Amino acid sequence: MRRTRRELLGTLGGAAAIGLGCGPRPSTDRPPNILFLLTDDQRYDMFGAGGNPIIRTPNMDRLANEGVMFTNNYVTTAICATSRASFFTGLYARCHGIHGFRTRLSEEQHQLSYPVQLRDAGYRTGFIGKYGVGGADDIEDAASRYDYFEGWPGQGQYLVPGRAHMTEHLGNQALEFLGGSDSDQPWNLSVSFKAPHVQDRVDPYFINDPRLDDMYDGLRLQPFPHMDGSYYDSLPEFLKDDTESRIRWVRRFGTPEKWEESVKRYYALIHGVDIQIGRMLARLEELGQLDNTVVIFTGDNGFFLGERGWAGKWYMHEESIRTPMVVRDPRLRGRAGTRRSEMALNIDACPTILEAAGLDRPESMNGRSLMPLARGESPEWRQEWFYEHLFENPRVPMSEGVHTGDWKYFVFHQADPPHEEMYHLAVDPQETVNLASSPDHAATLARLRQRRQAWTENLEGWRIDQPWTEPA
């Protein structure tokens, strides 16, 4: 049963008085701790449980084997600032209005966010790593929303003299936070890794811990799908040479040798994150808190690793928008190792965290809690969702679209003429054949165009103080 904030605070007081939550089994009265792990540019198939046989990710795989993995998890906008704002608030980009890197969360949006709601309910809260929303002038305000804050604006640096590699440094800070926790007060810690994001404009870009430089030596990587150049050659000119995705492809993947080096370093960065996740899980076990800690692991967006002639994200192809999502809840031991295929979204993280803590989802929130699915229930679920990328950059074309699970449609609407792509994912999961100009699929194209318009109008009419429903 869900509890109000007032009821939850009462529970916390009672737990403190009688020492609940100290035993080996999860307490049914004390709210659980919540550890939220977010990687940067890690797509869905870039860990072992996601189907990658090469990357060494025993701890990410452990979370999947001990929890529930959502195999069709997506971000509603594939760029870090916008996606992170959606994680905090449970809102689509058109609702929170953060399309770039300098816009901060409003006071109303902070109050909607899971860190503020949990803190108001009595949780000790912490944030570590890449904050990603707003500029340097906004970090002090962000820090004031937490009990423990080691976040930074911008990208940060992997290698700083006299400090461990950034990924290990974040792990050290996480252990410091965990060491300051106690059994009487539940906590929420968000660890926002920079990895496996590149170090922009610094060759070799994917700057892993130097101790991991040789972990994939001697391994010959096989090219991924869509690396033969045929898709890129078919594109209109506005999606080619002068785009950020192509410029970065030349730098990072422009030769077979460079591609292989970059991908191995990307793998090593992910392995570095996995090591730190293992350290956190071990510390929680030492503290006797793992069995009362919900762990959520996901990524802020996907990443093109040379596919389609691109590097980066931004566009609505699966490589760019599909990410890991695992919910490990020790109260659901019988669900360990379960896979759910329903479409989950980054906007679902906030309401999922709130429900895990026993709090209600605000009615204006766009996202839905994944907890019913994690519990094995069969609630009425979304049949489609909306994608939007409205970041203003002359080298990153804007796009919008609709994903129904079986079909995907998106349009670069500022082009003249607009460029449309439509794929029948049920029979073409690799998105090989663009059916937007197929006469046999004109009716489907018209329907998906209409759905895009319906979503646009619905989201533009959203209000933070009013209940929200998806377009009929």
Side-chain angles (χ1 to χ4, degrees):
M1 180 177 68
R2 295 180 185 177
R3 288 170 271 194
T4 66
R5 294 185 188 186
R6 185 180 300 275
E7 291 168 337
L8 188 62
L9 284 167
T11 299
L12 293 177
I18 61 177
L20 293 175
C22 300
R25 300 285 294 182
S27 168
T28 58
D29 296 314
R30 178 193 182 280
N33 310 313
I34 301 173
L35 176 61
F36 182 59
L37 304 171
L38 182 67
T39 55
D40 193 328
D41 287 358
Q42 182 180 5
R43 70 189 200 203
Y44 71 102
D45 57 346
M46 291 295 150
F47 70 121
N52 191 299
I54 297 174
I55 301 179
R56 302 173 195 171
T57 55
N59 297 295
M60 296 177 189
D61 299 343
R62 174 187 175 183
L63 293 177
N65 292 332
E66 295 181 358
V68 179
M69 186 166 79
F70 294 84
T71 58
N72 289 299
N73 186 70
Y74 296 94
V75 298
T76 54
T77 302
I79 193 171
C80 58
T82 304
S83 184
R84 288 161 191 269
S86 293
F87 278 116
F88 282 131
T89 64
L91 298 178
Y92 275 103
R94 264 189 172 82
C95 300
H96 60 59
I98 296 174
H99 304 294
F101 298 94
R102 297 298 177 189
T103 306
R104 63 190 291 177
L105 293 173
S106 69
E107 184 60 35
E108 284 184 313
Q109 290 167 349
H110 272 300
Q111 294 305 314
L112 191 71
S113 70
Y114 75 82
V116 170
Q117 291 200 57
L118 291 180
R119 193 183 193 194
D120 286 350
Y123 271 71
R124 176 178 179 246
T125 59
F127 185 94
I128 293 168
K130 177 180 172 181
Y131 189 69
V133 181
D137 294 341
D138 303 313
I139 282 294
E140 185 175 346
D141 177 70
S144 71
R145 316 283 176 168
Y146 297 85
D147 299 301
Y148 179 103
F149 188 86
E150 291 291 347
W152 71 78
Q155 293 292 346
Q157 301 292 320
Y158 277 124
L159 298 178
V160 174
R163 191 192 75 184
H165 184 273
M166 176 187 282
T167 305
E168 182 178 350
H169 179 63
L170 300 186
N172 293 340
Q173 292 174 329
L175 297 191
E176 179 180 74
F177 175 90
L178 297 177
S181 64
D182 60 55
S183 60
D184 293 336
Q185 182 183 21
W187 50 261
N188 164 232
L189 175 62
S190 300
V191 184
S192 179
F193 292 98
K194 174 183 173 70
H197 195 288
V198 301
Q199 190 73 60
D200 287 329
R201 296 179 292 278
V202 180
D203 197 1
Y205 306 109
F206 300 92
I207 303 179
N208 54 264
D209 188 321
R211 293 173 295 181
L212 304 178
D213 276 350
D214 60 355
M215 69 177 300
Y216 296 109
D217 279 0
L219 178 67
R220 184 67 181 270
L221 300 181
Q222 296 300 311
F224 301 140
H226 297 298
M227 289 187 61
D228 62 0
S230 58
Y231 174 82
Y232 182 81
D233 292 341
S234 73
L235 292 171
E237 289 304 313
F238 80 93
L239 282 170
K240 285 190 172 180
D241 293 347
D242 197 32
T243 60
E244 200 65 38
S245 55
R246 187 61 174 182
I247 292 169
R248 297 185 183 193
W249 177 88
V250 172
R251 293 173 183 163
R252 304 168 189 172
F253 306 120
T255 67
E257 295 77 18
K258 187 67 175 177
W259 174 81
E260 183 149 332
E261 177 193 15
S262 292
V263 172
K264 287 180 178 179
R265 286 183 170 277
Y266 177 89
Y267 286 1
L269 280 164
I270 292 173
H271 179 68
V273 172
D274 191 82
I275 292 172
Q276 302 313 314
I277 292 175
R279 294 177 69 201
M280 293 179 221
L281 297 178
R283 179 58 59 86
L284 287 172
E285 287 181 310
E286 292 171 4
L287 295 171
Q289 295 190 30
L290 185 60
D291 282 342
N292 200 29
T293 299
V294 175
V295 183
I296 299 175
F297 160 62
T298 188
D300 70 341
N301 47 248
F303 196 73
F304 293 108
L305 286 164
E307 297 96 339
R308 304 180 186 277
W310 289 333
K313 47 265 186 177
W314 309 306
Y315 310 139
M316 201 184 169
H317 301 90
E318 296 288 290
E319 298 95 336
S320 169
I321 64 174
R322 194 170 164 196
T323 59
M325 173 60 82
V326 175
V327 177
R328 181 198 180 276
D329 188 334
R331 298 169 297 184
L332 305 176
R333 296 175 188 271
R335 301 288 296 158
T338 302
R339 304 293 185 262
R340 296 297 299 239
S341 61
E342 291 88 347
M343 291 183 291
L345 302 174
N346 58 345
I347 59 174
D348 297 334
C350 179
T352 299
I353 291 170
L354 294 178
E355 182 173 349
L359 299 176
D360 290 324
R361 162 189 170 274
E363 291 185 341
S364 62
M365 196 169 285
N366 305 140
R368 308 180 184 186
S369 172
L370 299 175
M371 292 307 298
L373 297 177
R375 290 193 294 264
E377 299 168 12
S378 299
E380 184 177 345
W381 200 250
R382 64 173 61 92
Q383 299 301 308
E384 66 179 25
W385 57 276
F386 183 68
Y387 182 80
E388 53 189 337
H389 198 289
L390 305 180
F391 176 51
E392 293 186 7
N393 185 304
R395 292 194 296 271
V396 182
M398 294 184 184
S399 59
E400 294 180 337
V402 176
H403 198 306
T404 73
D406 284 347
W407 287 90
K408 178 192 294 185
Y409 163 80
F410 58 95
V411 56
F412 294 90
H413 52 280
Q414 292 185 313
D416 186 17
H419 174 68
E420 297 176 300
E421 298 190 24
M422 184 175 73
Y423 298 97
H424 192 186
L425 299 175
V427 298
D428 181 21
Q430 294 292 340
E431 301 173 280
T432 301
V433 182
N434 180 8
L435 299 172
S437 59
S438 168
D440 294 339
H441 298 90
T444 301
L445 178 65
R447 176 174 61 84
L448 294 177
R449 283 173 173 170
Q450 186 276 329
R451 294 307 300 159
R452 175 212 163 200
Q453 184 63 31
W455 273 96
T456 299
E457 294 173 357
N458 198 52
L459 291 170
E460 288 179 350
W462 175 89
R463 296 292 180 270
I464 199 168
D465 59 348
Q466 297 177 8
W468 183 82
T469 58
E470 294 180 359

